[in-house]
Amino acid sequence: MKLALWQIAGFPADVAANLAALEGTAQAAAAAGAALLLCPECWLCGYNIGDAVTALAEYSDGASAQRIAAIARQHGIAIAYGYAERDKTSRQLYNAVQVIGADGAVLSRYRKTHLFGPAERAAYQAGSQFEVPFDFGGFKIGLLICYDVEFPEAVRSLALLGADALLVPTALTDEYAAVPNFIVPARCVENQIYLAYCNHAGVENGMRFLGGSCLTGTDGKALVAAGAEDALIIGEISRRARDAAANTYPYRADRRPELYGLLNVKAD
């Protein structure tokens, strides 16, 4: 199954422009045979937009979600996108990702559980749970967002819930190259999973992003990777390779959960 990752500078605080750009990108990804298109963290409104996020946050079934569903149906491709979500009941904001299938139906959604830095913590509430991986194309797909993947417990939790692959929209700045270069490959090997890590490009309101989006295989090697500029990259994941990795690196089978009680202890 082919996955497309859309690394893009985008249009900060301009939802209409980002949606317009999605039209052509979804068409190109579908024409290349991709079953799913992944967009970066907070792609819909922009990541580093300050107080504007309050006005641009949307409900999970809001106008933009409906537009994205129409694009997905038109081009026959699932779309996973980062956005600022407003909860209908509490009105609180969450850094979220939503996956809409090629038929326009919602497949899954997730709220970021590990917020990074004072700006995120001021703008958003932290999500309270991981979501059970959803079935897609013969795989079980899990969701995390950016900083989440840097916690081994988060990735292992989804692996233990049955995930074969993770979609991770991110907004990684250029001083953190160790994440795609070392942490992402390690997460793939230690959990025998694929990981699609989709970043922003360029500079947004003074914040310089690394780029470096990648689809990493179960052996820790990049199947496809982007440079620093805007790019649409497409790679293929294989059930056979996923199953073979479990034999080469049998970490899940050889775990000893009875030894790991300290993982529930909060650090000082």
Side-chain angles (χ1 to χ4, degrees), residues 74-156:
Q74 179 183 354
H75 298 293
I77 188 170
I79 299 172
Y81 64 99
Y83 72 115
E85 179 193 351
R86 185 181 300 279
D87 185 87
K88 283 189 173 181
T89 302
S90 68
R91 305 285 293 174
Q92 292 177 329
L93 304 190
Y94 294 87
N95 182 333
V97 57
Q98 181 156 257
V99 187
I100 294 178
D103 61 355
V106 174
L107 297 176
S108 187
R109 61 173 66 98
Y110 166 73
R111 293 167 170 176
K112 188 174 185 178
T113 51
H114 299 83
L115 299 177
F116 180 77
E120 277 195 17
R121 296 185 183 111
Y124 299 110
Q125 297 294 314
S128 60
Q129 64 185 32
F130 301 123
E131 298 298 331
V132 174
F134 63 97
D135 293 314
F136 186 80
F139 294 85
K140 288 191 175 295
I141 310 292
L143 299 173
L144 292 174
I145 298 174
C146 196
Y147 194 38
D148 291 329
V149 82
E150 298 173 44
F151 292 83
E153 299 91 341
V155 180
R156 179 55 57 84

Side-chain angles (χ1 to χ4, degrees), residues 24-78:
T25 303
Q27 182 179 25
L36 182 144
L37 171 65
L38 175 61
C39 305
E41 179 180 10
C42 291
W43 156 81
L44 183 62
C45 61
Y47 178 80
N48 187 37
I49 59 172
D51 293 341
V53 69
T54 303
L56 294 175
E58 298 192 25
Y59 298 133
S60 61
D61 61 353
S64 291
Q66 294 175 39
R67 174 80 180 278
I68 293 167
I71 293 171
R73 286 192 298 267
Q74 179 183 354
H75 298 293
I77 188 170

Side-chain angles (χ1 to χ4, degrees), residues 192-206:
Q192 304 97 57
I193 58 168
Y194 291 97
L195 202 154
Y197 189 76
C198 186
N199 198 15
H200 293 252
V203 179
E204 184 182 282
N205 296 325

